[in-house]
Amino acid sequence: MKNESFKKGIKDGIPIGLGYLAVSFTFGMMSVSSGLSIWQAVLISLTNLTSAGQFAGLDIIVAGGSYWEMALTQLVINLRYCLMSFSLSQKMRRDEPWAHRYLVAFGITDEIFGVSASQEGKVSAFYNYGAMCMAIPGWTLGTLLGAISGSLLPDFIMSALGVAIYGMFLAVIISPAKKNKAVLLVVVAAMAVSTLFAVVPGLNKVSSGFVIIITTLVTAGGAAYLCPVKEDEVHES
Amino acid sequence: MSHNVYIYILVMAGVTYLIRVLPITLAKKEIVNPYIKSFLYYVPYACLAAMTFPAILSATASRISAVAGFGAALIAAYKEKSLLTVALIACGAVFIVERIMAFL
């Protein structure tokens, strides 16, 4: 069972690792061109494992902002992990030792959360470990490669890899949206709200972390009010 | 850079881990409130949809190839292909469209 979960996690983690490789490559390049050492860039990726937060953090380091500003920015941008972590707290198997949760928590990223939330029934910590085994090396190695050389991969490969993560997100959300009208509503509404934030003057100044938090609260909250889920549906998902 | 880079990294990593670890370890009880349960059920879909669109439109070198990747991913996901397959089909569509555009 553990073995099976771990293998499934690794399989689902492959596209995550590939996508991370491309995104973190950019982070590595930017870090070094901003004056950080290769080692510092890699250390940030290894200890943070988050995209938006790291890019924002890099800006603050370069600008010489205060440590408080750093803490607050990370809090706001990464607040969505709080929602995901809470959601996972209900989703994780209860018969596995609680200590696993401290490790699983480190690997709560948008993508790993996405795949583990899409598993049927309760999810094992070993599934998350499998996904983390692909995601963490992908993220760290990509940073290292980007930091060492910005011109290692040709542009057209980088460009194509750029959509890998989104393709995966769509694979996670479209299938349930086909079967459940309320989920379809949530997906369409969330895309519409985040598009508003991208195009409406004034709203487009809101940082990407906040946009995700606000959109999630509004659309998931609205859907929970309008179409509360029946008991068995929650367990099936 | 007047501050210590390693303290910055410690603050970043510390805050980010705390956000991730507190809910999953502290929420010991199963939630029974139907509204909160429904909300948490919808969170991943809302969150992933918000992160995907419109961000996907600027994820590649050109808007046209991004739209192609988005369309290809939608069709593949609708046909219930696996995560890896959908991701690769999206990458492939972007690659092909950008190759074609290079000739135009």
Side-chain angles (χ1 to χ4, degrees):
Chain A
M1 189 62 211
K2 281 178 185 174
N3 235 328
E4 208 175 290
S5 299
F6 187 72
K7 277 186 194 153
K8 180 112 203 301
I10 286 190
K11 190 169 164 254
D12 293 347
I14 292 171
I16 300 181
L18 285 177
Y20 280 9
L21 203 66
V23 178
S24 64
F25 192 86
T26 326
F27 179 76
M29 271 167 28
M30 279 180 61
S31 301
V32 170
S33 65
S34 310
L36 264 62
S37 70
I38 294 173
W39 149 250
Q40 286 166 339
V42 171
L43 184 66
I44 292 178
S45 284
L46 189 61
T47 55
N48 282 259
L49 197 66
T50 176
S51 59
Q54 288 186 201
F55 281 101
L58 181 63
D59 284 345
I60 294 172
I61 294 175
V62 172
S66 69
Y67 298 129
W68 280 113
E69 188 187 350
M70 176 66 91
L72 195 66
T73 305
Q74 296 302 316
L75 180 69
V76 171
I77 291 183
N78 293 331
L79 204 58
R80 65 185 188 283
Y81 293 142
C82 186
L83 294 177
M84 296 177 188
S85 172
F86 198 62
S87 173
L88 266 190
S89 76
Q90 304 296 305
K91 180 85 182 166
M92 303 296 298
R93 291 173 63 122
R94 294 183 166 265
D95 53 353
E96 289 178 344
W98 203 261
H100 282 307
R101 297 192 171 207
Y102 289 90
L103 259 179
V104 166
F106 179 74
I108 299 176
T109 67
D110 303 330
E111 297 75 18
I112 294 177
F113 170 72
V115 292
S116 70
S118 71
Q119 296 303 300
E120 278 188 30
K122 297 279 182 187
V123 67
S124 160
F126 290 88
Y127 176 81
N128 284 53
Y129 293 157
M132 286 161 76
C133 278
M134 294 289 108
I136 297 173
W139 188 246
T140 314
L141 194 68
T143 307
L144 179 67
L145 294 177
I148 290 172
S149 161
S151 53
L152 214 69
L153 283 178
D155 286 346
F156 62 90
I157 298 279
M158 295 300 294
S159 178
L161 283 180
V163 292
I165 279 182
Y166 301 112
M168 222 181 52
F169 286 168
L170 288 167
V172 170
I173 59 184
I174 296 299
S175 165
K178 255 171 82 179
K179 293 161 204 141
N180 184 329
K181 284 232 166 64
V183 172
L184 179 65
L185 185 79
V186 166
V187 166
V188 173
M191 288 184 174
V193 173
S194 67
T195 304
L196 278 183
F197 274 103
V199 298
V200 176
L203 284 184
N204 60 12
K205 292 199 177 61
V206 179
S207 74
S208 62
F210 254 135
V211 170
I212 294 164
I213 292 170
I214 297 168
T215 306
T216 304
L217 289 178
V218 170
T219 51
Y225 180 73
L226 294 172
C227 348
V229 183
K230 289 185 190 72
E231 186 70 12
D232 47 334
E233 276 181 274
V234 175
H235 285 297
E236 273 171 29
S237 68
Chain B
M1 278 192 252
S2 54
H3 295 68
N4 186 324
V5 174
Y6 293 98
I7 298 180
Y8 276 128
I9 297 176
L10 189 72
V11 171
M12 285 171 78
V15 171
T16 306
Y17 183 66
L18 279 179
I19 296 167
R20 284 170 165 153
V21 80
L22 291 180
I24 198 173
T25 52
L26 294 182
K28 299 216 171 185
K29 287 184 192 152
E30 286 235 39
I31 293 165
V32 286
N33 180 309
Y35 179 77
I36 297 178
K37 274 186 115 155
S38 306
F39 173 73
L40 292 175
Y41 170 78
Y42 290 125
V43 161
Y45 304 113
C47 202
L48 294 177
M51 282 187 296
T52 301
F53 199 87
I56 189 172
L57 299 181
S58 41
T60 66
S62 89
R63 178 62 48 95
I64 297 169
S65 65
V67 170
F70 181 48
L74 274 182
I75 294 168
Y78 191 80
K79 292 192 169 170
E80 314 248 348
K81 302 289 181 198
S82 74
L83 299 186
L84 183 59
T85 313
V86 175
L88 289 177
I89 287 174
C91 292
V94 170
F95 180 80
I96 291 168
V97 167
E98 287 185 359
R99 289 304 89 200
I100 294 172
M101 285 169 68
F103 283 108
L104 299 178

